[in-house]
Amino acid sequence: MDILTDTSLPSPCWLLNEHLLIENLKTISYIKQQSGAKILLALKGYALWKSFPTLIPYLDGCCASGLHEAKLAHETFAKEVHTYAPAFKEEELEEIASISHHLVFNSPAQFKRFAKQAKSVNPFLSLGIRVNPEYSEAPKEIYNPCGLNSRLGTTISHFDTHILDDCEGLHFHALCEQGADALEKVLHVFEEKFGTYIPKMKWINFGGGHHITRQGYDIEKLIHLIKQFKTKYNVEVYLEPGEAIGWETGTLITTVLDIVHNGMEIAILDSSAEAHMPDTIIMPYRADVLGSGKAGEKPYTYRLAGNTCLAGDIMGDYSFDQPLQVGDKLTFLDQMHYTMVKASTFNGVKLPSIAIERVNGTIDVIREFGHEDFKNRLS
Ligand SMILES: *Cc1c(COP(=O)(O)O)cnc(C)c1O
């Protein structure tokens, strides 16, 4: 399906393509059917909740990282809610417990402190603990949950067997944009370290970071690993991808506001790398722009930059077949995951509108933002 730039849309605007989303969901659904795993949406990566009616038939629920995401899952998804937080707050615990199906603690201390209270609010709650297998091939330290001195999950040397009576599941999250080969290696280390506890569990959660919907991902290997694990231990297996759900399902449409010159041509857009696509700065990664090449590849090279006063608010250098003109629309590709969930109103830049292109081709603009959204956050 071609991605076109619709010039009648507000700008900037995130445009989700429902057809492409369903294609990803079909892949997810196939893995569920073939492997018997349950698959959750990680709200951290994708939380465009007006699209949830499309997702709900294909997924088993959501994984949330605390009260606000748990409430979003409960109110808008209404299937399983799995809540984990690096640390729960006393005053939020009961509400979280009352709307969650799984509650995953990060440390034995939090498990012991809150387990009874949580169960008294919700006797059906299944409790688990996040462990750190201390093995990861994550591409960058900021995205490595198993890196040096990581706070995420309990290492085997700090595991406390006293929690085992009330603990029904183990959770690990060690991958980031990775294939089934990386999962195989993590599983190996996880089994080596925590293997004696696995048969006592009802479920094991393999976390997120499975790049399932990326072209070339070895889906059959993933299915094999899950089936093998389920047979060996007789446990329920969960995956909770975020990125893979929204992967390549939509764009961010922006407008060229001005072109300035300082050693090169610089196009200032009505968007912001810092505020709308922060991963381009912190990952760092380069978002593709429709019809563009790398710097120097096509005749006209520009630096694309944001409309804030942050010097480093730069999307990158791109080249085009034609010179850019003020008013031109530029479409950044693959902008559905880890963008709107992270977006800010930094420097007063307008948040992009949100639109959905339906399967039948109609486009619904479902949300627009204005000055109030900026003002209301600040006091
Ligand atoms: C971030 C995260 C996920 C989702 O990761 P993706 O890379 O978006 O698939 C799942 N589980 C936990 C605990 C996470 O922190």
Side-chain angles (χ1 to χ4, degrees), residues 59-358:
L59 295 168
D60 294 290
C62 296
C63 77
S65 316
L67 178 62
H68 289 180
E69 285 189 352
K71 281 179 79 166
L72 185 69
H74 175 70
E75 289 167 5
T76 63
F77 214 98
K79 288 177 110 173
E80 290 183 36
V81 179
H82 294 219
T83 312
Y84 156 82
F88 289 107
K89 291 176 89 164
E90 170 107 54
E91 65 264 36
E92 293 178 352
L93 188 86
E94 294 198 353
E95 190 175 3
I96 291 172
S98 71
I99 56 175
S100 298
H101 300 78
H102 285 199
L103 195 63
V104 180
F105 295 102
N106 189 57
S107 69
Q110 282 242 318
F111 195 109
K112 287 192 273 192
R113 182 168 162 212
F114 291 130
K116 285 214 163 47
Q117 190 187 352
K119 286 289 258 190
S120 72
V121 173
N122 178 0
F124 300 106
L125 195 60
S126 185
L127 304 181
I129 187 152
R130 176 165 174 175
V131 298
N132 176 354
E134 296 173 88
Y135 177 87
S136 161
E137 300 179 7
K140 238 190 146 228
E141 206 50 21
I142 186 178
Y143 298 106
N144 184 0
C146 305
L148 183 68
N149 307 128
S150 173
R151 72 189 180 292
L152 304 170
T154 299
T155 58
I156 187 68
S157 66
H158 293 95
F159 195 80
D160 182 342
T161 51
H162 292 105
I163 67 168
L164 285 173
D165 283 347
D166 299 314
C167 185
E168 296 183 340
L170 299 177
H171 174 292
F172 67 81
H173 170 68
L175 303 179
C176 176
E177 296 194 339
Q178 278 159 314
D181 289 343
L183 173 64
E184 184 175 37
K185 291 182 198 155
V186 172
L187 269 180
H188 183 73
V189 178
F190 169 66
E191 288 187 65
E192 229 170 47
K193 292 189 165 139
F194 297 94
T196 51
Y197 309 129
I198 300 172
K200 299 184 174 62
M201 299 296 150
K202 286 192 178 158
W203 51 266
I204 304 294
N205 188 321
F206 290 3
H210 315 276
H211 222 174
I212 294 166
T213 48
R214 184 195 60 211
Q215 249 189 347
Y217 183 95
D218 192 345
I219 289 171
E220 296 307 323
K221 176 157 194 169
L222 174 66
I223 291 166
H224 169 74
L225 290 172
I226 296 168
K227 277 169 73 173
Q228 197 179 41
F229 193 92
K230 279 173 73 79
T231 309
K232 185 167 171 189
Y233 296 108
N234 191 27
V235 288
E236 193 82 75
V237 167
Y238 284 89
L239 306 183
E240 45 183 38
E243 174 157 354
I245 308 286
W247 179 249
E248 292 186 335
T249 58
T251 57
L252 174 63
I253 298 165
T254 65
T255 305
V256 178
L257 299 180
D258 195 15
I259 293 165
V260 297
H261 321 278
N262 182 8
M264 67 186 301
E265 308 288 290
I266 305 152
I268 300 174
L269 310 181
D270 63 351
S271 179
S272 163
E274 168 70 22
H276 302 158
M277 38 174 73
D279 279 354
T280 53
I281 293 176
I282 63 165
M283 182 91 169
Y285 91 103
R286 178 189 160 90
D288 285 332
V289 170
L290 192 65
S292 78
K294 295 198 179 85
E297 208 169 83
K298 291 172 180 264
Y300 302 96
T301 291
Y302 294 83
R303 174 157 297 171
L304 303 183
N307 197 17
T308 71
C309 295
L310 173 72
D313 191 353
I314 292 164
M315 290 86 170
D317 296 347
Y318 298 79
S319 64
F320 299 88
D321 292 322
Q322 304 293 330
L324 292 181
Q325 310 283 347
V326 169
D328 279 356
K329 302 282 180 185
L330 289 182
T331 300
F332 290 86
L333 303 176
D334 193 22
Q335 290 300 306
M336 285 298 116
H337 53 88
Y338 291 103
T339 50
M340 61 191 85
V341 290
K342 286 187 155 193
S344 75
T345 57
F346 172 60
N347 218 188
V349 170
K350 191 167 101 89
L351 285 166
S353 306
I354 301 173
I356 301 181
E357 180 172 355
R358 305 293 178 188

